Amino acid sequence: MSQATEAGPATARPARLPPATEQGALGWLRKNLFSSWGNTITTLVIVALMAWFAVWFVDWAVLNAVFTAESGQECVGKHGACWAIIGAKFRYIFFGSFPYEQHWRPLFAILAMLAMLVLSCDRRMWSASRLAIIWGVGSVITFLLMLGEIHIPVTLIFVVALIAGLVGYAYRRRVAENAERLAYIALAAIGGLYLILRILGVVPGVAVPIALFSYVETGSWGGLAVTMILATYGLAFAFPYGILLALGRRSNLPLIRGLCIGFIELIRGVPLISLLIMASVMLPLFLPSGTSIDKFLRAQVAVILFAGAYIAEIVRGGLQALPKGQFEAADAMGLNYVQRTALIVLPQALRVVIPPLINTFIGFFKDTSLVLIIGIFDFLKTASQALVDPLWTGFPGEIYLFAAAVYFCFCFSMSRYSKYLERELNKGTQR
Amino acid sequence: MAVRDINGASPIIELEQVNKWYGQFHVLTDINLQVRQGEKIVICGPSGSGKSTLIRCINRLEEHQEGTIAVRVDGKRIELTNDVKNVEAIRKEVGMVFQSFNLFPHLTILDNLTLAPIWVKKLPKKEAEDVAMSLLRRVRIPEQAQKYPGQLSGGQQQRVAIARALCMRPQIMLFDEPTSALDPEMVKEVLDVMIELANEGMTMLVVTHEMGFARSVADRVIFMDRGEIVEQGPPKEFFANPRNERTRTFLSQILHH
């Protein structure tokens, strides 16, 4: 015994393991599924139900299913799913009434948006310049493909030059070389000069057209590309806009605060459908005759306004959860409002609200299907429209199951990303 | 009275007839205080006496409603007004250490230290990091630079907070009960850093109940009660024969054991 104590407990005896019944798969089963009579019966009943359903589903969806057929007639009388309708209709479901021989365009637009989203999910891309490049390039590609031609106003180019020059100068003034500083000044000067001339009417407003393909108006868009554009750009604009609203709601300036509260409460107080109908039917009545705003754009703006109000309330929760000491520490160090907000407040506040934020994103992705009310053919609408074909009537189950599967892929990826992001951002910061 | 007029210059901090209310509650009453460059002042008093509020007024974390507060920055007297420029100029010169550390939990220790130098002083990143590392060495935790605040002990966090404030090269340091939230065994490591700082000639205003620190470091001890400065003097005098009844009661309460 004295020997054992001298050698130390680690070498004296092997580490004792918990009893075998508590370990491994067997232990888990015993503990979680068969711990008591009641538990055992529940387990058996549920397993039986699941097995029965699985057998029925495989039977319907695979064994008795019809995968190829010329028309719905061939499926009638069979006991299985008629997947042939998906094969026959998938191009319409995905691309709507976009010109048939041009279907590759929305396809690549969808891929471009997916690439944009996937890249933006990577933390290494989270800098203003990288995100600006990703979204700038991605958006030009997407809309060039969808519309066929885009017109970039020259004024916009000079506005960008002016802003880039000013921002660059403001941030790099103290550290940049002379040449770089001069470049910023020149950029800002050229931009500013053009704008002044433009306002004075000396130079005409022209647009640089980029026309690669035949023009397709938004009324002919349909399917997954529409859903993705509405959701992607809806949330991409609503997110910063919602953050601004939330900050405004917490502002010390009563006028700004009142405005933000009023806006948030107003928007939250009406259903999205009524907002869409207002945008599509009522807004044109108020516009001066002759001017018109594209219906798709109006729906897009309605979605942005609506999502922004909800995002604002979620972000406000995160702002309120932040201890007062964080604001005070930032103030005491001499950070100004913008620095304090961007460097200290938002990174912490947004981290707290990732789960409810992604929850809202998922909700809005699905809510975009409400645009069918005002005659825009989103993915769900094109799917249901496929049933109207007299050759293929009578198979709503197959169509909607397929549509559900596509929606599920998107929503489930968002949910998993939310989980990953939470883990990733909390690395090392756990108290 | 050996500390009177160290360099004969005008006071670095000057409070004149300062009054402050929280709603109806009069939290600071007719505060007059002049602090000389390099002076170390310990402020004590019962809780709710306004001592934290007083030092928080100096860097405008709290706003006073009457009287003037002025800080000398680069030889110029700058008065605290609603002018944001003045507030920012004073905050650059005044570092602050909080009771609950208030480190930024989403940033590493090094980033906590370099944030203000980079964004407020526009120091190049490399330079800011060099300054930060030398200060971390000074508070004896350079090896923690890449960790997050949540991974450090309370005493370590408070030393980081001191280093963070020093990164801005302030003329004045305000300490708001820096050891009150610490476990007893960690108090000393923080006080040691503060004593070092005092010996280097930093102007310090310290709200604390550490009377040992007051005795050994302070040039002047101020006792506050109900929003007023009741009594002040060099620590020897202050502790040996307090003149005011309220001071005597307070000292007997915190020193009796």
Side-chain angles (χ1 to χ4, degrees):
Chain A
M1 191 206 152
S2 66
Q3 243 176 349
T5 45
E6 268 161 40
T11 50
R13 55 183 142 88
R16 242 177 93 185
L17 296 170
T21 50
E22 295 286 312
Q23 277 192 304
L26 216 64
W28 186 89
L29 280 175
R30 182 195 283 268
K31 202 164 139 193
N32 291 294
L33 297 179
F34 302 101
S35 61
S36 68
W37 275 109
N39 196 344
T40 306
I41 291 170
T42 315
T43 303
L44 292 177
V45 168
I46 291 177
V47 167
L49 279 173
M50 278 164 53
W52 175 78
F53 178 77
V55 167
W56 174 84
F57 186 80
V58 170
D59 206 42
W60 178 80
V62 183
L63 299 179
N64 287 326
V66 179
F67 290 95
T68 50
E70 285 301 311
S71 83
Q73 287 305 315
E74 296 175 37
C75 295
V76 175
K78 302 264 168 56
H79 292 289
C82 186
W83 297 123
I85 186 175
I86 308 289
K89 287 289 171 190
F90 86 92
R91 283 184 68 162
Y92 182 77
I93 296 174
F94 276 110
F95 308 123
S97 33
F98 206 91
Y100 192 81
E101 65 287 356
Q102 303 274 324
H103 275 179
W104 62 271
R105 278 164 53 181
L107 174 66
F108 279 98
I110 290 169
L111 293 178
M113 279 186 281
L114 280 177
M116 205 160 78
L117 291 170
V118 169
L119 281 174
S120 309
C121 284
D122 190 336
R123 265 187 92 184
R124 283 168 296 184
M125 299 298 156
W126 291 3
S127 72
S129 53
R130 284 182 188 174
L131 284 179
I133 292 172
I134 291 172
W135 283 76
V137 173
S139 302
V140 168
I141 293 175
T142 301
F143 285 100
L144 199 55
L145 284 166
M146 291 302 289
L147 286 165
E149 54 185 77
I150 46 180
H151 300 266
I152 301 174
V154 174
T155 314
L156 183 70
I157 297 170
F158 282 97
V159 168
V160 170
L162 176 66
I163 293 173
L166 289 178
V167 171
Y169 185 73
Y171 277 93
R172 306 270 304 160
R173 184 173 31 159
R174 311 247 177 118
V175 285
E177 305 276 322
N178 271 335
E180 191 184 337
R181 246 194 332 248
L182 267 178
Y184 288 128
I185 296 172
L187 213 56
I190 293 170
L193 188 69
Y194 178 86
L195 283 186
I196 291 168
L197 293 178
R198 178 80 188 86
I199 291 165
L200 293 177
V202 180
V203 285
V206 283
V208 182
I210 306 178
L212 289 185
F213 318 110
S214 59
Y215 178 66
V216 177
E217 53 156 7
T218 57
S220 308
W221 294 5
L224 191 59
V226 164
T227 293
M228 277 191 70
I229 288 176
L230 283 173
T232 307
Y233 288 94
L235 294 172
F237 282 100
F239 186 46
Y241 170 62
I243 289 174
L244 287 180
L245 272 181
L247 291 172
R249 188 168 188 162
R250 306 255 302 160
S251 162
N252 291 326
L253 308 171
L255 218 60
I256 290 184
R257 191 172 54 230
L259 217 64
C260 291
I261 292 176
F263 180 84
I264 292 170
E265 295 304 337
L266 192 73
I267 296 283
R268 285 204 308 167
V270 297
L272 177 56
I273 291 188
S274 71
L275 213 63
L276 286 169
I277 291 176
M278 271 200 279
S280 102
V281 183
M282 285 173 65
L283 191 66
L285 299 180
F286 293 109
L287 289 174
S289 58
T291 54
S292 74
I293 304 174
D294 188 90
K295 183 166 82 174
F296 189 84
L297 184 62
R298 278 181 271 145
Q300 179 79 77
V301 171
V303 169
I304 292 170
L305 294 181
F306 198 71
Y310 278 85
I311 290 171
E313 283 301 276
I314 291 171
V315 173
R316 181 167 71 109
L319 292 175
Q320 279 169 344
L322 207 59
K324 208 164 153 249
Q326 293 290 310
F327 292 84
E328 290 179 349
D331 283 343
M333 289 160 70
L335 297 180
N336 62 32
Y337 177 82
V338 175
Q339 292 167 339
R340 186 184 78 187
T341 306
L343 300 169
I344 307 299
V345 177
L346 282 181
Q348 294 187 64
L350 293 180
R351 207 163 289 217
V352 184
V353 297
I354 291 169
L357 211 51
I358 303 276
N359 188 38
T360 305
F361 282 16
I362 290 174
F364 270 98
F365 181 77
K366 294 179 295 183
D367 281 356
T368 54
S369 57
L370 288 172
V371 295
L372 69 91
I373 291 282
I374 56 170
I376 292 175
F377 280 57
D378 79 312
F379 182 65
L380 192 62
K381 179 65 179 168
T382 51
S384 62
Q385 200 70 17
L387 291 166
V388 174
D389 187 340
L391 274 180
W392 291 97
T393 47
F395 306 100
E398 288 81 347
I399 286 284
Y400 285 120
L401 211 56
F402 176 69
V406 173
Y407 273 104
F408 180 81
C409 288
F410 279 95
C411 296
F412 189 64
S413 334
M414 281 194 259
S415 154
R416 298 314 298 175
Y417 178 63
S418 152
K419 264 251 162 66
Y420 155 82
L421 199 57
E422 248 183 291
R423 238 192 352 255
E424 182 70 20
L425 291 180
N426 285 330
K427 251 183 210 167
T429 59
Q430 229 90 41
R431 271 172 206 282
Chain B
M1 291 278 128
V3 291
R4 190 163 285 275
D5 286 335
I6 284 176
N7 49 14
S10 62
I12 189 163
I13 305 174
E14 203 173 0
L15 283 79
E16 213 174 308
Q17 288 300 109
V18 170
N19 279 282
K20 174 170 177 60
W21 290 263
Y22 284 133
Q24 299 290 314
F25 180 63
H26 202 168
V27 61
L28 292 179
T29 311
D30 294 336
I31 301 289
N32 287 297
L33 177 67
Q34 300 202 331
V35 183
R36 290 178 300 278
Q37 175 114 43
E39 197 176 9
K40 290 106 189 83
I41 295 181
V42 164
I43 304 172
C44 60
S47 71
S49 60
K51 51 197 193 307
S52 285
T53 310
L54 173 64
I55 65 166
R56 288 157 60 90
C57 277
I58 294 172
N59 65 351
R60 201 55 158 199
L61 288 185
E62 307 277 355
E63 224 169 290
H64 62 286
Q65 280 111 21
E66 272 180 16
T68 55
I69 298 177
V71 176
R72 181 154 51 82
V73 178
D74 297 331
K76 268 196 315 223
R77 182 178 183 276
I78 295 188
E79 201 176 298
L80 262 183
T81 58
N82 281 325
D83 191 341
V84 183
K85 275 232 164 69
N86 288 3
V87 176
E88 279 176 4
I90 288 175
R91 280 177 177 167
K92 267 191 220 176
E93 292 299 320
V94 180
M96 184 153 193
V97 175
F98 299 86
Q99 179 178 355
S100 48
F101 328 136
N102 294 350
L103 295 177
F104 304 128
H106 63 300
L107 300 175
T108 61
I109 300 304
L110 190 63
D111 289 340
N112 262 279
L113 264 69
T114 56
L115 186 85
I118 289 175
W119 288 92
V120 179
K121 280 198 159 176
K122 316 276 186 213
L123 231 54
K125 191 163 185 245
K126 181 79 190 53
E127 207 173 301
E129 281 177 356
D130 290 345
V131 173
M133 284 314 294
S134 76
L135 282 166
L136 280 180
R137 273 192 290 278
R138 221 168 102 183
V139 299
R140 292 180 279 281
I141 34 177
E143 72 282 359
Q144 312 283 6
Q146 295 308 328
K147 288 196 183 164
Y148 287 91
Q151 297 166 308
L152 269 56
S153 74
Q156 290 173 323
Q157 289 195 46
Q158 194 60 299
R159 284 185 280 154
V160 171
I162 294 173
R164 180 176 71 173
L166 291 175
C167 267
M168 289 294 283
R169 300 260 174 253
Q171 298 284 312
I172 301 159
M173 285 285 283
L174 307 175
F175 292 84
D176 188 1
E177 306 208 26
T179 56
S180 303
L182 295 176
D183 290 335
E185 75 269 23
M186 294 170 181
V187 169
K188 187 176 175 297
E189 63 187 53
V190 172
L191 288 181
D192 284 347
V193 169
M194 289 170 63
I195 290 169
E196 263 180 49
L197 200 58
N199 292 339
E200 286 162 24
M202 176 69 76
T203 309
M204 292 163 73
L205 272 79
V206 186
V207 172
T208 186
H209 294 299
E210 298 291 336
M211 289 305 134
F213 175 80
R215 262 185 233 274
S216 61
V217 174
D219 298 314
R220 186 162 30 142
V221 180
I222 292 178
F223 173 68
M224 284 185 73
D225 191 19
R226 288 176 233 157
E228 295 169 317
I229 294 182
V230 175
E231 184 167 351
Q232 53 180 312
K236 255 193 197 145
E237 231 169 88
F238 180 86
F239 289 112
N241 36 23
R243 278 160 291 165
N244 192 291
E245 180 55 41
R246 280 193 269 173
T247 320
R248 277 198 287 275
T249 316
F250 175 73
L251 287 179
S252 74
Q253 276 163 350
I254 62 166
L255 295 175
H256 74 282
H257 53 147

